[in-house]
Amino acid sequence: MDDAAVNQHNAMPRLVRVGMWFATAFAVAFPMMLVLTLLSVLPPTLGGEPVELSAWLLVSAPLYALASGLLATVAYAIHQGKPWSRAVVIVLWAAVLAYNAVTGLLGAVPTFQTWRAIGFCLVLGGSSAWYFYFKSNVVVYFEWLGNR
């Protein structure tokens, strides 16, 4: 294989790089939103509707913490070239979907908002699964990461 072909295979796909930066930004933004809400700088809301801080802490705060931790893991793993980073992206969407389903089943969030969140997770999780596991240049990139 010539040098150009090798560089093409080991170059991080553009959308993976963009995703890494978005994951970094949100991994930082979510804890900041938690703090700003606790300090009453941001209003506590669920699905865009104002709620008491206690309700927000019970429902949204754990989701922000969960998502922030997983997003930080995604950002770190992609930045470090870990081949398992693509699996963490799928775990992120599955965890957020499961969390939304549980809060919906417990009646902590209105049914419409629960289904909207689940639909969002299915679309983005499904798109992520296709991108990371079926898009040819991305598959080649992650195979290269696993073999180095």
Side-chain angles (χ1 to χ4, degrees):
M1 204 180 278
D2 65 4
D3 287 344
V6 169
N7 286 337
Q8 182 180 10
H9 288 324
N10 65 16
M12 184 184 294
R14 187 171 305 139
L15 198 52
V16 172
R17 184 174 309 281
V18 169
M20 176 186 67
W21 289 112
F22 271 104
T24 302
F26 281 105
V28 172
F30 285 161
M32 286 176 44
M33 290 169 65
L34 272 167
V35 170
L36 292 173
T37 303
L38 289 171
L39 295 174
S40 299
V41 174
L42 293 175
T45 61
L46 289 176
E49 299 295 324
V51 295
E52 294 293 322
L53 182 61
S54 60
W56 185 86
L57 285 171
L58 186 64
V59 176
S60 292
L63 179 59
Y64 280 31
L66 171 70
S68 181
L70 286 170
L71 286 163
T73 304
V74 166
Y76 166 80
I78 291 174
H79 185 266
Q80 294 299 312
K82 304 294 184 188
W84 48 265
S85 58
R86 63 185 176 165
V88 181
V89 174
I90 307 308
V91 168
L92 165 71
W93 292 115
V96 173
L97 185 146
Y99 186 88
N100 281 295
V102 168
T103 57
L105 285 172
L106 294 175
V109 177
T111 304
F112 172 76
Q113 291 175 0
T114 298
W115 283 110
R116 183 178 62 186
I118 288 172
F120 182 76
C121 290
L122 287 171
V123 168
L124 289 178
S127 299
S128 296
W130 170 82
Y131 181 76
F132 283 105
Y133 289 95
F134 295 100
K135 188 161 188 314
S136 60
N137 68 315
V138 178
V139 170
V140 168
Y141 172 72
F142 280 98
E143 286 173 354
W144 175 80
L145 287 179
N147 292 329
R148 46 175 194 135

